[in-house]
Amino acid sequence: MKKLLAIITFVLVASAPNLYGQNKNYSDYNLIRAAELIEEEEYQQGLDLVKEHLTEYPNDADAYVVSTIAYYAQGEYMTALRDVNKAYEFWNKKCTTEKYKILWWRAVIYEQLLEYDRVLADLDVAYKLAIKANKEDATSILESVANIYYAQDQ
């Protein structure tokens, strides 16, 4: 699970400079810096910047993904679930985070909450979206599904 967290965090942070294209402003840089701080395990500082960003952009799905990662990493799964659901609700085609990654994150959170039916449902949809966008991620999602079935058999 830590490997998955590291991979998803890397993908998010690596794409952070491109979060807002050419429309950069102070709040956008706050979100980019928040992602960097969270990668450095400075969760509270990162969350403070995300909250500041959300005061200006309350429907920013990418910001909710960043906060989801921070809360998840701290073991605050219900708060992470709340934010990943907001990310899913506010997702649109302008978002940097692809929709399947939001579903993948939600599945990871549901796994921690032992809600395996929801894990598998989200992974199913995430896989169908990922197969069109990123075959490598689609393979990783299938591995996640296999791991869930394996864990249930133990």
Side-chain angles (χ1 to χ4, degrees), residues 47 51 64 67-72 74-86 109 113:
L47 285 168
K51 289 174 187 174
Y64 284 110
S67 63
T68 295
I69 293 168
Y71 288 122
Y72 178 87
Q74 296 177 92
E76 296 181 38
Y77 304 124
M78 293 306 294
T79 308
L81 181 60
R82 178 201 66 200
D83 282 8
V84 79
N85 282 332
K86 286 182 181 180
I109 295 164
L113 299 172

Side-chain angles (χ1 to χ4, degrees), residues 54 56-64 86-87 89-92 95:
L54 285 169
E56 192 171 340
Y57 303 101
N59 298 338
D60 187 341
D62 290 318
Y64 284 110
K86 286 182 181 180
E89 176 186 349
F90 296 132
W91 185 88
N92 61 62
C95 292

Side-chain angles (χ1 to χ4, degrees), residues 12-146:
L12 178 68
V13 173
S15 64
N18 298 319
L19 281 174
Y20 295 94
Q22 297 175 354
N23 298 326
K24 299 216 182 287
N25 63 40
Y26 178 73
S27 187
D28 299 337
Y29 286 114
N30 280 347
L31 187 57
I32 294 165
R33 181 66 183 136
E36 293 168 349
L37 286 166
I38 290 165
E39 182 182 31
E40 296 166 6
E41 299 181 11
E42 298 291 339
Y43 303 117
Q44 193 53 54
Q45 289 177 293
L47 285 168
D48 289 344
L49 290 175
V50 171
K51 289 174 187 174
E52 188 176 328
H53 176 85
L54 285 169
T55 60
E56 192 171 340
Y57 303 101
N59 298 338
D60 187 341
D62 290 318
Y64 284 110
V65 170
V66 173
S67 63
T68 295
I69 293 168
Y71 288 122
Y72 178 87
Q74 296 177 92
E76 296 181 38
Y77 304 124
M78 293 306 294
T79 308
L81 181 60
R82 178 201 66 200
D83 282 8
V84 79
N85 282 332
K86 286 182 181 180
Y88 187 77
E89 176 186 349
F90 296 132
W91 185 88
N92 61 62
K93 292 181 180 183
K94 294 179 183 178
C95 292
T96 299
T97 308
E98 295 182 64
K99 194 172 196 175
Y100 75 87
K101 290 181 183 178
I102 294 171
L103 289 167
W104 194 358
W105 259 114
R106 191 166 69 181
V108 169
I109 295 164
Y110 280 140
E111 182 179 9
Q112 293 301 314
L113 299 172
L114 306 176
E115 296 188 32
Y116 296 113
D117 289 341
R118 290 181 175 190
V119 171
L120 293 171
D122 276 354
L123 289 176
D124 179 54
V125 176
Y127 172 76
K128 289 173 183 172
L129 294 172
I131 198 79
K132 298 173 188 173
N134 186 322
K135 293 191 187 299
E136 189 174 308
D137 280 350
T139 301
S140 296
I141 291 169
L142 284 179
E143 289 173 7
S144 296
V145 171

